[in-house]
Amino acid sequence: MTAMDAIMTDANDGAKYEPKPEPGIKLTEAQLRARRARSIAIALALGVLVVLFYIVTLVKGPGVLVRPL
Amino acid sequence: MSVALTRAEPSIAGVGDYLELMKPRVMSLVVFTALVGLLIAPGHVHPVIGATALICIAVGAGAAGALNMWYDADIDARMARTAARPIPAGRLAPGEALAFGLTLATGSVVVLGLLVNAVAAALLAVTIAFYVVVYTMWLKRRTPQNIVIGGAAGALPPAIGWAAATGSLALEPVILFLIIFFWTPPHFWALSLFRCADYARAGIPMLPVVAGERETRRQILLYALILAPLGAAPWLLGYAGAFYGIVALLGGAAMIALALRVRAEAGGEATNKHAASKRLFGFSILYLFLLFAMLLVDRTAVGLLGHLA
């Protein structure tokens, strides 16, 4: 088989096959919406935590970790 | 060798379902009693530190609620009052609730320890562990004394608030602990009297299910008799003023009067058989709220008078 024959065969085979479905789970519209809402809530909670640590650090001053038990 | 693989369905749980796991109504009472403990403690606590402590206590209480719903999903599904909760209703997988509860529990204790103090964090950890392990996993399905001993978890928040402000404990938060501890049995047994069939169906050995209504009504009265003087103790010991004392005495007398009516209700007519129990259940919430609100009013008034003087 020549190189040209091989290319033609591949091209013909390609025309015969339909695109394969992507592997893995396909989320429904409701699942996507719920996941997005959860992601936003987690982001907000983390943001609040960052702000809280920042403010408390300001309140306690530089010696925030220097204290008795 | 073949291995059966099961794949969990992708979650459809919304943010509201997770919030419901945290039992917001219980959380509000926890935050309120912790706030009172925080504010009546001696000395000055920075508002940011106080707010941080309250947030951590609220999240810790929510974590305990989520872990309780994770463990109790089977009995929640059998009770009318709890069947619509996120796990039995199928909106949230048990594993999601477990992960959520453990994350919040760890996070709230660590943040409280880092930003406020170690004593408050240790007390919050004990509270969560007591509610989840001692009450939910151990006592709830085994003994009618479940809510008596388990009530300690619900009674600790004022002590956590006090510890957050002072870094230590004293007699005053112990009295607040005892008030909630002795308030819990008449409150929950009044509920269990008119939810008896529900508890029996779920196989939970609540006192009316195991010992009968008559014994439950007798024990409600006994606890009310202990609770009334305990409610007045902050005034009797000089921690609160006469205004608090009057409210506590009147409220305690009303609790005893309602408990007596519950006692007399035993063997009453079939129609509206549990009217007195429902009234005691409703009033017990108001009574506890009034006691703690009056402590707050009393302390604020004393502070204002001090400033004016």
Side-chain angles (χ1 to χ4, degrees):
Chain A
M1 188 193 286
T2 64
M4 184 55 80
D5 288 340
I7 291 168
M8 290 303 290
T9 312
D10 280 355
N12 289 339
D13 284 354
K16 273 187 233 163
Y17 294 125
E18 288 185 2
K20 281 183 187 168
E22 281 181 32
I25 300 166
K26 182 108 175 90
L27 297 184
T28 64
E29 207 42 50
Q31 287 164 345
L32 280 170
R33 259 201 316 276
R35 187 176 68 177
R36 183 173 165 72
R38 291 197 302 268
S39 301
I40 292 171
I42 293 169
L44 285 175
L46 288 175
V48 167
L49 207 55
V50 169
V51 172
L52 189 68
F53 268 76
Y54 181 71
I55 295 173
V56 172
T57 309
L58 290 182
V59 168
K60 291 203 166 195
V64 67
L65 290 176
V66 182
R67 70 225 164 96
L69 264 179
Chain B
M1 189 178 79
S2 68
V3 178
L5 290 175
T6 53
R7 180 180 281 159
E9 273 291 302
S11 177
I12 51 158
V15 176
D17 295 321
Y18 280 96
L19 291 178
E20 205 181 325
L21 275 186
M22 297 172 81
K23 299 190 176 179
R25 270 192 290 178
V26 176
M27 194 201 277
S28 61
L29 196 61
V30 166
V31 169
F32 176 62
T33 55
L35 172 74
V36 175
L38 187 89
L39 292 181
I40 66 168
H44 171 76
V45 59
H46 193 286
V48 170
I49 303 298
T52 304
L54 288 181
I55 291 170
C56 290
I57 293 167
V59 173
L67 291 170
N68 168 273
M69 283 203 205
W70 160 71
Y71 193 81
D72 277 348
D74 58 334
I75 51 179
D76 280 352
R78 293 201 292 269
M79 289 173 64
R81 188 172 66 90
T82 52
R85 284 178 174 176
I87 302 175
R91 300 194 303 275
L92 209 137
E96 290 177 293
L98 175 63
F100 183 64
L102 288 176
T103 307
L104 292 192
T106 312
S108 59
V109 171
V110 169
V111 172
L112 189 62
L114 282 174
L115 301 188
V116 182
N117 66 53
V119 179
L123 278 173
L124 182 62
V126 168
T127 306
I128 297 170
F130 201 89
Y131 185 70
V132 177
V133 180
V134 177
Y135 170 68
T136 305
M137 294 181 175
W138 182 28
L139 300 173
K140 187 172 176 180
R141 299 172 194 233
R142 284 179 178 80
T143 164
Q145 295 302 311
N146 49 14
I147 52 116
V148 180
I149 305 164
L156 275 168
I160 306 175
W162 181 285
T166 63
S168 63
L169 283 175
L171 180 61
E172 206 171 340
V174 172
I175 290 169
L176 299 186
F177 170 88
L178 288 174
I179 290 173
I180 304 180
F181 186 78
F182 282 94
W183 166 88
T184 307
H187 170 75
F188 274 108
W189 283 337
L191 170 78
S192 68
L193 277 174
F194 57 87
R195 297 278 188 190
C196 189
D198 233 12
Y199 284 113
R201 199 178 316 119
I204 304 173
M206 291 298 279
L207 196 60
V209 178
V210 176
E213 286 197 8
R214 196 181 159 80
E215 177 61 16
T216 308
R217 293 169 197 275
R218 193 181 72 83
Q219 293 213 26
I220 284 177
L221 180 60
L222 286 178
Y223 274 91
L225 288 170
I226 300 171
L227 176 63
L230 259 179
W235 167 61
L236 295 170
L237 294 172
Y239 295 135
F243 188 53
Y244 171 86
I246 291 166
V247 173
L249 287 176
L250 288 176
M255 279 295 288
I256 293 174
L258 286 171
L260 280 168
R261 287 172 81 169
V262 170
R263 176 108 166 94
E265 196 178 43
E269 314 95 74
T271 51
N272 208 8
K273 197 177 165 190
H274 298 296
S277 309
K278 285 177 182 169
R279 205 167 300 132
L280 176 65
F281 175 74
F283 180 77
S284 64
I285 298 171
L286 178 69
Y287 170 67
L288 190 70
F289 174 77
L290 273 179
L291 284 187
F292 278 78
M294 284 308 122
L295 274 179
L296 209 54
V297 168
D298 188 89
R299 200 50 62 96
T300 314
V302 169
L304 278 177
L305 287 175
H307 274 296
L308 289 175

